[in-house]
Short mmCIF file of all heavy atoms in Angstrom, two decimals:
data_model
loop_
_atom_site.label_atom_id
_atom_site.label_comp_id
_atom_site.label_asym_id
_atom_site.label_seq_id
_atom_site.Cartn_x
_atom_site.Cartn_y
_atom_site.Cartn_z
N HIS X 71 -1.09 15.89 11.81
CA HIS X 71 0.19 16.03 11.05
C HIS X 71 1.28 16.20 12.01
O HIS X 71 1.89 17.29 12.10
CB HIS X 71 0.11 17.12 9.98
CG HIS X 71 -0.93 16.88 8.98
ND1 HIS X 71 -2.30 17.15 9.19
CD2 HIS X 71 -0.80 16.52 7.68
CE1 HIS X 71 -2.88 16.94 8.00
NE2 HIS X 71 -2.04 16.55 7.12
N MET X 72 1.54 15.19 12.88
CA MET X 72 2.62 15.29 13.85
C MET X 72 3.98 15.40 13.25
O MET X 72 4.26 14.84 12.17
CB MET X 72 2.55 14.11 14.82
CG MET X 72 1.24 13.88 15.55
SD MET X 72 0.84 15.25 16.71
CE MET X 72 2.11 14.90 17.99
N PRO X 73 4.93 16.16 13.74
CA PRO X 73 6.15 16.50 13.19
C PRO X 73 7.01 15.14 12.99
O PRO X 73 7.04 14.30 13.99
CB PRO X 73 6.85 17.44 14.21
CG PRO X 73 5.79 18.03 14.94
CD PRO X 73 4.62 17.04 14.98
N GLY X 74 7.45 14.92 11.82
CA GLY X 74 8.22 13.75 11.52
C GLY X 74 7.48 12.46 11.29
O GLY X 74 8.09 11.36 11.12
N LEU X 75 6.11 12.46 11.45
CA LEU X 75 5.30 11.28 11.28
C LEU X 75 4.42 11.33 10.11
O LEU X 75 4.14 12.44 9.67
CB LEU X 75 4.51 11.04 12.59
CG LEU X 75 5.16 10.89 13.89
CD1 LEU X 75 4.23 10.62 14.97
CD2 LEU X 75 6.28 9.81 13.86
N ARG X 76 3.92 10.14 9.60
CA ARG X 76 3.07 10.24 8.45
C ARG X 76 1.65 10.84 8.90
O ARG X 76 1.45 10.97 10.04
CB ARG X 76 2.85 8.81 7.93
CG ARG X 76 2.26 7.80 8.87
CD ARG X 76 2.22 6.40 8.28
NE ARG X 76 1.76 5.34 9.27
CZ ARG X 76 0.42 5.08 9.34
NH1 ARG X 76 -0.48 5.71 8.59
NH2 ARG X 76 -0.01 4.12 10.25
N GLU X 77 0.97 11.19 7.92
CA GLU X 77 -0.39 11.78 8.17
C GLU X 77 -1.19 10.83 9.03
O GLU X 77 -1.28 9.58 8.76
CB GLU X 77 -1.15 12.11 6.86
CG GLU X 77 -2.42 12.79 7.10
CD GLU X 77 -3.07 13.22 5.76
OE1 GLU X 77 -2.44 12.99 4.72
OE2 GLU X 77 -4.20 13.82 5.77
N ASN X 78 -1.94 11.38 9.92
CA ASN X 78 -2.84 10.61 10.90
C ASN X 78 -2.09 9.45 11.65
O ASN X 78 -2.58 8.37 11.73
CB ASN X 78 -4.07 10.11 10.24
CG ASN X 78 -5.04 11.17 9.84
OD1 ASN X 78 -5.31 12.02 10.80
ND2 ASN X 78 -5.60 11.31 8.73
N ALA X 79 -0.89 9.83 12.00
CA ALA X 79 -0.14 8.91 12.98
C ALA X 79 0.17 9.81 14.25
O ALA X 79 0.70 10.92 14.09
CB ALA X 79 1.27 8.40 12.41
N LEU X 80 -0.32 9.38 15.37
CA LEU X 80 -0.06 10.25 16.57
C LEU X 80 1.40 9.92 17.25
O LEU X 80 1.99 10.74 17.77
CB LEU X 80 -1.10 9.90 17.68
CG LEU X 80 -0.98 10.73 19.01
CD1 LEU X 80 -1.10 12.11 18.82
CD2 LEU X 80 -2.05 10.21 20.02
N ILE X 81 1.76 8.62 17.05
CA ILE X 81 3.08 8.23 17.57
C ILE X 81 3.79 7.34 16.50
O ILE X 81 3.24 7.02 15.48
CB ILE X 81 2.83 7.31 18.84
CG1 ILE X 81 2.03 6.03 18.49
CG2 ILE X 81 2.28 8.07 19.97
CD1 ILE X 81 1.91 5.07 19.70
N PRO X 82 5.14 7.16 16.57
CA PRO X 82 5.78 6.44 15.52
C PRO X 82 5.20 4.99 15.41
O PRO X 82 4.65 4.37 16.41
CB PRO X 82 7.24 6.42 16.11
CG PRO X 82 7.35 7.60 16.98
CD PRO X 82 5.97 7.74 17.61
N ASP X 83 5.13 4.55 14.15
CA ASP X 83 4.56 3.21 13.89
C ASP X 83 5.26 2.04 14.61
O ASP X 83 4.62 1.05 14.79
CB ASP X 83 4.51 2.95 12.41
CG ASP X 83 3.49 3.87 11.60
OD1 ASP X 83 2.38 3.94 12.19
OD2 ASP X 83 3.85 4.42 10.66
N ASP X 84 6.53 2.26 15.05
CA ASP X 84 7.25 1.19 15.72
C ASP X 84 7.18 1.42 17.25
O ASP X 84 7.92 0.62 17.93
CB ASP X 84 8.65 1.03 15.21
CG ASP X 84 9.47 2.41 15.40
OD1 ASP X 84 8.99 3.34 15.89
OD2 ASP X 84 10.69 2.39 15.14
N ALA X 85 6.35 2.34 17.65
CA ALA X 85 6.34 2.57 19.13
C ALA X 85 5.51 1.48 20.01
O ALA X 85 5.49 1.54 21.18
CB ALA X 85 5.91 4.02 19.38
N GLY X 86 4.70 0.73 19.25
CA GLY X 86 3.83 -0.13 19.95
C GLY X 86 2.34 0.33 19.80
O GLY X 86 2.03 1.29 19.26
N TYR X 87 1.44 -0.41 20.46
CA TYR X 87 0.08 -0.25 20.43
C TYR X 87 -0.51 -0.16 21.77
O TYR X 87 -1.59 0.51 21.90
CB TYR X 87 -0.64 -1.31 19.55
CG TYR X 87 -0.01 -1.56 18.18
CD1 TYR X 87 0.86 -2.65 18.02
CD2 TYR X 87 -0.22 -0.74 17.16
CE1 TYR X 87 1.32 -2.91 16.79
CE2 TYR X 87 0.33 -0.93 15.96
CZ TYR X 87 1.17 -2.09 15.73
OH TYR X 87 1.71 -2.25 14.53
N VAL X 88 -0.03 -0.84 22.77
CA VAL X 88 -0.62 -0.91 24.07
C VAL X 88 0.30 -0.33 25.16
O VAL X 88 1.47 -0.70 25.22
CB VAL X 88 -0.83 -2.45 24.41
CG1 VAL X 88 -1.58 -2.53 25.81
CG2 VAL X 88 -1.78 -3.10 23.31
N PHE X 89 -0.24 0.54 25.89
CA PHE X 89 0.45 1.39 26.87
C PHE X 89 -0.27 1.39 28.19
O PHE X 89 -1.26 1.79 28.30
CB PHE X 89 0.70 2.79 26.37
CG PHE X 89 1.30 2.93 25.16
CD1 PHE X 89 0.56 2.94 23.93
CD2 PHE X 89 2.81 2.96 24.93
CE1 PHE X 89 1.21 2.96 22.61
CE2 PHE X 89 3.36 3.06 23.68
CZ PHE X 89 2.68 3.02 22.62
N PRO X 90 0.39 0.77 29.32
CA PRO X 90 -0.19 0.94 30.66
C PRO X 90 -0.27 2.41 31.00
O PRO X 90 0.75 3.12 30.93
CB PRO X 90 0.74 0.16 31.49
CG PRO X 90 1.61 -0.66 30.60
CD PRO X 90 1.69 0.17 29.39
N THR X 91 -1.40 2.87 31.65
CA THR X 91 -1.54 4.29 31.95
C THR X 91 -1.04 4.59 33.35
O THR X 91 -0.81 5.78 33.62
CB THR X 91 -2.95 4.75 31.76
OG1 THR X 91 -3.89 4.01 32.58
CG2 THR X 91 -3.41 4.65 30.31
N GLY X 92 -1.04 3.57 34.25
CA GLY X 92 -0.58 3.77 35.60
C GLY X 92 -1.27 5.02 36.30
O GLY X 92 -2.44 5.04 36.34
N LYS X 93 -0.47 5.95 36.83
CA LYS X 93 -0.92 7.04 37.58
C LYS X 93 -1.89 7.98 36.70
O LYS X 93 -2.49 8.86 37.25
CB LYS X 93 0.14 7.86 38.26
CG LYS X 93 1.07 8.53 37.23
CD LYS X 93 2.14 9.21 38.03
CE LYS X 93 3.12 9.95 37.01
NZ LYS X 93 4.22 10.71 37.74
N TYR X 94 -1.81 7.90 35.44
CA TYR X 94 -2.57 8.81 34.53
C TYR X 94 -3.96 8.24 34.23
O TYR X 94 -4.80 8.82 33.52
CB TYR X 94 -1.81 9.02 33.28
CG TYR X 94 -0.48 9.69 33.42
CD1 TYR X 94 0.76 8.94 33.31
CD2 TYR X 94 -0.40 10.96 33.72
CE1 TYR X 94 1.88 9.53 33.49
CE2 TYR X 94 0.89 11.61 33.90
CZ TYR X 94 2.00 10.88 33.81
OH TYR X 94 3.26 11.40 34.00
N PHE X 95 -4.30 7.04 34.65
CA PHE X 95 -5.51 6.43 34.27
C PHE X 95 -6.75 7.27 34.61
O PHE X 95 -7.76 7.54 33.93
CB PHE X 95 -5.73 5.07 34.95
CG PHE X 95 -7.12 4.40 34.61
CD1 PHE X 95 -7.36 3.87 33.42
CD2 PHE X 95 -8.05 4.34 35.57
CE1 PHE X 95 -8.54 3.29 33.13
CE2 PHE X 95 -9.30 3.79 35.41
CZ PHE X 95 -9.59 3.34 34.09
N ALA X 96 -6.75 7.79 35.95
CA ALA X 96 -7.90 8.56 36.45
C ALA X 96 -8.24 9.76 35.58
O ALA X 96 -9.42 10.11 35.35
CB ALA X 96 -7.73 8.82 37.89
N ASP X 97 -7.14 10.48 35.31
CA ASP X 97 -7.26 11.76 34.53
C ASP X 97 -7.78 11.37 33.11
O ASP X 97 -8.72 12.08 32.55
CB ASP X 97 -6.01 12.50 34.38
CG ASP X 97 -5.62 13.13 35.66
OD1 ASP X 97 -6.43 13.22 36.58
OD2 ASP X 97 -4.34 13.39 35.85
N LEU X 98 -7.18 10.29 32.48
CA LEU X 98 -7.56 9.89 31.15
C LEU X 98 -9.16 9.50 31.20
O LEU X 98 -9.93 9.80 30.30
CB LEU X 98 -6.79 8.79 30.61
CG LEU X 98 -5.41 9.13 30.16
CD1 LEU X 98 -4.45 8.01 29.96
CD2 LEU X 98 -5.48 9.97 28.84
N HIS X 99 -9.44 8.71 32.21
CA HIS X 99 -10.88 8.15 32.33
C HIS X 99 -11.82 9.33 32.45
O HIS X 99 -12.96 9.39 31.79
CB HIS X 99 -10.96 7.29 33.50
CG HIS X 99 -12.32 6.61 33.68
ND1 HIS X 99 -13.41 7.31 34.36
CD2 HIS X 99 -12.79 5.44 33.25
CE1 HIS X 99 -14.40 6.48 34.34
NE2 HIS X 99 -14.16 5.41 33.65
N CYS X 100 -11.53 10.34 33.20
CA CYS X 100 -12.23 11.52 33.38
C CYS X 100 -12.46 12.30 32.09
O CYS X 100 -13.63 12.74 31.83
CB CYS X 100 -11.65 12.56 34.42
SG CYS X 100 -12.60 13.95 34.92
N LEU X 101 -11.42 12.52 31.35
CA LEU X 101 -11.60 13.25 30.07
C LEU X 101 -12.43 12.45 29.02
O LEU X 101 -13.36 12.98 28.41
CB LEU X 101 -10.16 13.42 29.41
CG LEU X 101 -9.22 14.49 30.18
CD1 LEU X 101 -7.87 14.36 29.66
CD2 LEU X 101 -9.80 15.83 29.87
N PHE X 102 -12.19 11.09 28.89
CA PHE X 102 -13.04 10.30 28.03
C PHE X 102 -14.52 10.41 28.42
O PHE X 102 -15.44 10.66 27.58
CB PHE X 102 -12.57 8.81 28.02
CG PHE X 102 -11.45 8.50 27.14
CD1 PHE X 102 -10.11 8.31 27.60
CD2 PHE X 102 -11.67 8.17 25.74
CE1 PHE X 102 -9.16 8.04 26.71
CE2 PHE X 102 -10.69 7.93 24.94
CZ PHE X 102 -9.37 7.76 25.44
N GLU X 103 -14.66 10.19 29.68
CA GLU X 103 -16.13 10.15 30.17
C GLU X 103 -16.81 11.40 30.11
O GLU X 103 -18.01 11.49 29.67
CB GLU X 103 -16.12 9.64 31.73
CG GLU X 103 -17.45 9.41 32.33
CD GLU X 103 -18.16 10.60 32.79
OE1 GLU X 103 -17.43 11.65 33.19
OE2 GLU X 103 -19.40 10.62 32.92
#
């Protein structure tokens, strides 16, 4: 229930769907793994 967004929306619906992670990829990969 993010502030200002509909239920079970993490980001605004018009923000897009695909985001390059760049320098954050290694950290994200570590967390997922």
Side-chain angles (χ1 to χ4, degrees):
H71 295 80
M72 300 294 288
L75 302 182
R76 63 184 176 89
E77 185 176 358
N78 286 314
L80 180 63
I81 60 176
D83 287 315
D84 60 357
Y87 309 103
V88 182
F89 302 88
T91 56
K93 65 181 181 180
Y94 299 105
F95 175 78
D97 290 342
L98 285 166
H99 184 274
C100 183
L101 288 167
F102 274 102
E103 189 275 333

